[in-house]
Amino acid sequence: MAEKDFNISITSYGKLRDYLRYFFIYGCYSREDFDNISYFSARKYDDELRRIRAILGDKYLKETIRDREKYISLDYSYYDTMENYLVETYLIRSYTHLSLSIFFNSYIILWENEELPLDEINEKIEGKISIERDLKSTTRRILEDMVSKGIIEKDKVNNRVLYKRKEDIFKDISDDDLEALYFSVCFFSQVQYPLSLGKYLKDSLYRYIKYVRNIDIDGVEELYLFKYSNFQQVIDEEIVWKLEHIIKDRNKVKFNYFKDRGVKKQIIGFPIKIIWNNNYGKWYVQIITEKEDLITLKIEEIINIKKLKDKISCKKLEQVLNRLEDRNEKKLKKVKVLFQVEAYNRRNFLLHKVKRKNLNGKIELIDEHKFIYTIYTDDWEGLKPWIMSFGHRAKVIEDELYLDIKNEWIEMGENYGIIHRAEE
């Protein structure tokens, strides 16, 4: 297929989510590795890499050669990467060139004419687009879609349907206040979920200020430098957004997900809580299953979700949660962690960091460099990344849990070529 004929659009964003995760978060797999990963292949790898290159260009693509194999990852620089470029991948829905052309021409025509009926809009569009077909039905569909999304408005005057641009909601805001608003949006669009919507708001506000108010604000977004920018949370925001609304309505959900290195599974239950783990940069959802078990599922493992008709009442949900709380108290796992700083250091900064987590654990001071922290938890998988974030300064004392963390460190080291052979 010629490069110019390659269609970067996709019918479902889920098709791209896993590849973005492998390219951006992991970045430790070569093209050949994808033939050994379930539901992936080297051919699909080529297509998705081409799609990502078409969207983002080469600016954020990083190539590394290791053992004569090429590894491609999406790059991130603490000082140079100000924009969450992963948001751009949401813009590749299945829109044809024609529909995009009608969309933008409709918006420009209404901006210049304020309000017009369908026939006049379509006539103006056909004067701009060279195509031998009737566009009226397509134009109507796109205009109605723009109305439903709040991009334009629709009025009925004397039995005539008129489409018009939306009223300028910023018209009564001064230039100074508008700039101050933009500064705030530049900040919160990088730190406050949903990041994708924040980015779109920032871009729209930028265009309004620059092209409608004629104010030069180039470079303003570079005012802020973020130490911890979890760009990858954008990848799963669409599923999180759907789950938020489902949790609010208390509906049952069918989850299709991957488990145990690519094994496809299904679970049905009521999602009750969404969790963002900043240490791991991952989303989780807590689910009450049909057997009234409480499980935590990584949202990155979810293939798709289907909202079902069944609902749970607030009273029933409270009763189930009370039963689960009593049951889980008997299943709590004891975790003892030895925290230790270097001989030239003091333990206080570690103590403060542990206390900030507020896990209701018990602290046993050993000397000015060491202390033991004992926690009872029903979520070892959720606790593990927090412990690993301390690196060499934290060591789990129990043999089974210690080996679990050790094996994860070894796997990461082997994947990234830091170590080539695991030895005791």
Side-chain angles (χ1 to χ4, degrees), residues 243-257:
L243 286 173
E244 273 192 332
H245 290 78
I246 291 172
I247 290 172
K248 180 182 177 182
D249 296 334
R250 301 189 303 279
N251 281 85
K252 184 180 285 187
V253 175
K254 180 191 292 183
F255 294 87
N256 291 309
Y257 67 102

Side-chain angles (χ1 to χ4, degrees), residues 335-365:
V335 182
K336 293 181 73 174
V337 186
L338 173 64
F339 288 92
Q340 181 174 359
V341 295
E342 301 79 2
Y344 59 82
N345 219 326
R346 291 291 183 270
R347 68 177 183 229
N348 285 350
F349 79 94
L350 271 183
L351 272 172
H352 293 320
K353 187 175 179 180
V354 168
K355 289 177 179 178
R356 281 200 303 271
K357 186 66 174 176
N358 195 24
L359 293 172
N360 298 319
K362 180 182 177 181
I363 295 175
E364 177 187 349
L365 301 178

Side-chain angles (χ1 to χ4, degrees), residues 16-245:
L16 189 59
R17 285 172 64 225
D18 286 331
Y19 280 95
L20 285 172
R21 189 171 288 108
Y22 275 92
F23 287 132
F24 182 79
I25 302 174
Y26 308 142
C28 59
Y29 296 94
S30 68
R31 179 182 183 275
E32 290 71 22
D33 289 331
F34 279 81
D35 275 330
N36 300 316
I37 302 174
S38 297
Y39 298 95
F40 293 91
S41 68
R43 170 68 182 275
K44 289 182 180 179
Y45 169 93
D46 291 337
D47 288 342
E48 297 310 321
L49 179 59
R50 187 187 302 179
R51 179 174 284 110
I52 292 171
R53 196 186 298 273
I55 299 166
L56 302 176
D58 292 322
K59 181 179 180 180
Y60 301 110
L61 287 174
K62 179 182 178 182
E63 295 185 2
T64 304
I65 304 296
R66 191 168 76 238
D67 296 332
R68 297 183 180 180
E69 289 188 336
K70 182 188 293 186
Y71 296 81
I72 296 181
S73 60
L74 286 167
D75 201 11
Y76 168 78
S77 168
Y78 171 58
Y79 289 103
D80 299 328
T81 312
M82 306 297 177
E83 292 286 320
N84 190 339
Y85 55 79
L86 292 180
V87 176
E88 301 299 325
T89 62
Y90 270 111
L91 301 176
I92 57 170
R93 306 291 179 169
S94 290
Y95 293 116
T96 64
H97 294 297
L98 177 62
S99 60
L100 284 173
S101 181
I102 293 175
F103 177 94
F104 286 110
N105 273 292
S106 297
Y107 191 83
I108 293 170
I109 289 167
L110 290 177
W111 184 265
E112 294 172 344
N113 296 272
E114 293 197 2
E115 62 178 22
L116 289 172
L118 170 63
D119 290 339
E120 291 186 37
I121 296 172
N122 190 62
E123 183 180 347
K124 291 179 179 292
I125 289 174
E126 289 182 341
K128 296 174 179 287
I129 300 176
S130 299
I131 186 169
E132 295 182 1
R133 54 171 285 193
D134 184 8
L135 300 179
K136 187 173 180 179
S137 60
T138 305
T139 302
R140 178 189 288 110
R141 175 176 53 79
I142 292 173
L143 287 171
E144 291 298 322
D145 185 52
M146 293 171 72
V147 171
S148 69
K149 288 180 169 62
I151 299 171
I152 60 174
E153 294 179 345
K154 181 173 72 171
D155 273 344
K156 195 170 184 179
V157 180
N158 298 327
N159 294 323
R160 293 180 73 215
V161 174
L162 297 176
Y163 296 93
K164 63 180 183 179
R165 71 185 190 194
K166 288 185 71 70
E167 183 181 356
D168 185 352
I169 61 174
F170 299 117
K171 64 181 180 181
D172 296 324
I173 300 178
S174 68
D175 290 350
D176 289 341
D177 287 344
L178 200 59
E179 285 188 69
L181 175 63
Y182 182 68
F183 294 156
S184 298
V185 172
C186 284
F187 175 80
F188 285 106
S189 65
Q190 293 280 28
V191 300
Q192 185 66 42
Y193 162 82
L195 300 185
S196 51
L197 297 185
K199 173 69 161 56
Y200 298 147
L201 173 61
K202 182 183 76 67
D203 291 348
S204 297
L205 199 54
Y206 168 84
R207 288 189 289 268
Y208 175 84
I209 294 173
K210 184 170 183 176
Y211 299 112
V212 178
R213 293 291 184 93
N214 296 316
I215 301 173
D216 183 13
I217 54 169
D218 288 331
V220 167
E221 68 274 8
E222 298 179 4
L223 282 173
Y224 304 108
L225 186 64
F226 299 92
K227 186 174 183 180
Y228 300 109
S229 293
N230 284 306
F231 283 8
Q232 71 271 18
Q233 66 176 289
V234 166
I235 297 173
D236 296 315
E237 275 190 349
E238 184 178 43
I239 290 181
V240 172
W241 185 262
K242 291 178 180 177
L243 286 173
E244 273 192 332
H245 290 78

